[in-house]
Amino acid sequence: MLYSEKVMDHFKNPRNVGVIEDADGVGEVGNVKCGDIMKIYLKIENDVIVDVKFNTFGCGSAIASSSMATEMIKGAKVSEALELTNKAVVEALDGLPPAKVHCSVLAEEAVKKAIKDYYDKNGIEYDPDLFPDCGNCEHCHV
């Protein structure tokens, strides 16, 4: 299995690792099949993600996907972060092996779950369709 230089870089030198104790939104997801667990913390001011941290227990692809996803949403408006897709994460990493694409799906789901948590904590109305449960047992939420 060959990994791109970007995947290896984000795996060996992950960005934004850690915890935000007073996070405005927290999203945790897991994959039952592979055992990966991803937790993303958001700090939001004036509708902008001013800080983001993650903790991921999983393979190199899961760590790289988490790292890249946090880099992609840091400094973005919440609405822009909601548009993050696993496909965009894979492209930013210059690809993932087919068997590891589910790791990028977890990153997308963790970001969305953290934003939903932020909305819920702050009583912000949102379209429930923005946060569908995939219903796919492969990506069960923790």
Side-chain angles (χ1 to χ4, degrees):
M1 195 174 323
L2 292 174
Y3 292 101
S4 72
E5 283 182 32
K6 279 189 184 174
V7 170
M8 293 305 295
D9 181 39
H10 278 268
F11 167 62
K12 290 179 179 175
N13 309 294
R15 283 67 151 176
N16 308 308
V17 175
V19 174
I20 299 175
E21 293 297 339
D22 59 342
D24 295 308
V26 179
E28 184 174 2
V29 294
N31 181 305
V32 196
K33 270 189 179 175
C34 66
D36 291 342
I37 297 173
M38 213 174 270
K39 197 166 188 176
I40 289 186
Y41 304 83
L42 302 176
K43 192 73 183 158
I44 299 168
E45 292 174 14
N46 299 319
D47 200 42
V48 173
I49 298 169
V50 294
D51 197 11
V52 55
K53 301 274 185 226
F54 79 91
N55 279 324
T56 293
F57 177 84
C59 67
S61 295
I63 292 166
S65 292
S66 301
S67 175
M68 181 57 82
T70 61
E71 285 286 276
M72 293 172 78
I73 66 169
K74 195 172 193 176
K77 288 186 175 186
V78 174
S79 58
E80 294 168 345
L82 260 179
E83 294 174 11
L84 178 77
T85 64
N86 75 294
K87 191 174 182 179
V89 173
V90 170
E91 286 172 5
L93 288 169
D94 293 337
L96 283 173
K100 294 294 183 179
V101 169
H102 68 271
C103 297
S104 63
V105 172
L106 282 178
E108 174 188 337
E109 289 180 348
V111 168
K112 287 187 174 158
K113 205 163 183 186
I115 292 171
K116 183 180 183 304
D117 183 50
Y118 165 70
Y119 284 166
D120 289 343
K121 283 179 180 173
N122 290 280
I124 298 169
E125 287 189 38
Y126 55 84
D127 180 352
D129 292 340
L130 292 172
F131 306 99
D133 273 338
C134 67
N136 179 346
C137 291
E138 194 174 305
H139 300 108
C140 291
H141 295 215
V142 171

